[in-house]
Amino acid sequence: MLRNLVKNVKLRAKVLERAEEFKLNNKAGEDVWFRELVLCILTSNSSFISAYTALNNLYDKLFSLNEDGISKVLKNSGYRFYNLKAKYLFNVRKYYGKLKAWIYPIANKDEYEAREELLQIEGIGMKEASHFLRNVGYFDLAILDRHILKFLSSYYFSYSKKSLPKKDYIYIESVLKSISISLNLPVGLLDLFIWYKGTNKLVK
């Protein structure tokens, strides 16, 4: 199934075009990196469209609002978990201005180590850290969201736990990485093919 997806010439071209956008983000400044971090916090336990809508409504006001104000903007955007995410976003502002200087040199040496560093940030787990790193141009980490796990359960192996402990994440990532190697595709881009299969979009 995946092999057929990856062989789709038009889809592969779209994915590789998206990859070039991520590479441009890698060269971009702090604001682009921080915006991607905020987006990844918002996408946790939420649809991408809901997260992206909330991001656009909030980002320009993020540094001028208190936690309650952030919560209200998220709520008015139709976003779930607005109080919890407001807490995360209020606290994450302290990383603005030093995020890229902190993560960029580490990720260039070792993406796994960079992911471990990002786990220090409240609201960032394995999936969110992997998603962020992919979106700023690093492709060696798997983004194991519910769409990926559902796909793997349908075609490769069953995973029925509601949560994804770190050790399970690392194991499933290794499986997905083996699959990606056989397809001659970076594992960080593989989710885009699976996402497209389920949504007909490449918006992650």
Side-chain angles (χ1 to χ4, degrees):
M1 182 63 188
L2 266 178
R3 192 169 296 279
N4 289 336
L5 274 176
V6 172
K7 283 184 176 180
N8 184 310
V9 176
K10 289 184 179 179
L11 176 55
R12 191 178 183 95
K14 288 180 180 179
V15 168
L16 294 178
E17 182 180 350
R18 193 80 175 99
E20 290 304 313
E21 294 175 13
F22 297 143
K23 290 176 183 178
L24 288 176
N25 287 345
N26 185 262
K27 295 179 174 62
E30 178 73 10
D31 196 64
V32 169
W33 276 56
F34 189 77
R35 185 182 175 93
E36 288 295 338
L37 184 68
V38 170
L39 176 62
C40 290
I41 290 174
L42 287 169
T43 54
S44 177
N45 296 314
S46 176
S47 72
F48 180 86
I49 298 301
S50 175
Y52 192 70
T53 299
L55 175 75
N56 286 333
N57 290 338
L58 173 67
Y59 192 75
D60 289 343
K61 310 166 191 171
L62 180 59
F63 290 92
S64 62
L65 296 172
N66 60 19
E67 187 175 324
D68 185 58
I70 295 171
S71 177
K72 286 179 180 176
V73 173
L74 294 180
K75 184 177 182 180
N76 291 338
S77 299
Y79 184 85
R80 298 194 308 160
F81 310 119
Y82 44 86
N83 286 331
L84 178 63
K85 294 303 179 71
K87 175 189 173 188
Y88 292 159
L89 295 178
F90 181 77
N91 291 332
V92 83
R93 299 185 305 185
K94 65 187 176 187
Y95 292 98
Y96 184 83
K98 53 189 176 183
L99 177 65
K100 185 173 183 180
W102 170 33
I103 297 300
Y104 180 80
I106 301 172
N108 284 341
K109 292 179 181 177
D110 188 331
E111 294 181 27
Y112 294 92
E113 184 181 346
R115 181 167 66 185
E116 287 296 316
E117 289 287 308
L118 287 163
L119 295 180
Q120 298 176 41
I121 300 174
E122 191 177 15
I124 292 289
M126 293 286 283
K127 176 179 71 69
E128 294 77 31
S130 303
H131 189 185
F132 168 74
L133 287 165
R134 195 280 306 279
N135 282 15
V136 293
Y138 301 98
F139 303 129
D140 285 343
L141 303 170
I143 304 164
L144 301 182
D145 63 16
R146 66 182 184 274
H147 299 286
I148 305 303
L149 294 174
K150 182 179 179 181
F151 181 87
L152 291 174
S153 294
S154 298
Y155 294 98
Y156 291 93
F157 59 86
S158 178
Y159 188 84
S160 57
K161 294 181 184 178
K162 291 184 179 180
S163 62
L164 186 58
K166 186 175 181 180
K167 63 181 179 61
D168 289 2
Y169 195 107
I170 292 170
Y171 171 71
I172 295 173
E173 180 177 59
S174 71
V175 172
L176 203 59
K177 195 157 190 176
S178 295
I179 294 170
S180 72
I181 290 170
S182 72
L183 297 172
N184 193 30
L185 184 77
V187 69
L189 298 181
L190 196 54
D191 76 299
L192 290 176
F193 286 92
I194 297 172
W195 178 268
Y196 185 85
K197 179 183 179 298
T199 66
N200 288 319
K201 296 176 182 178
L202 284 177
V203 295
K204 286 187 76 179

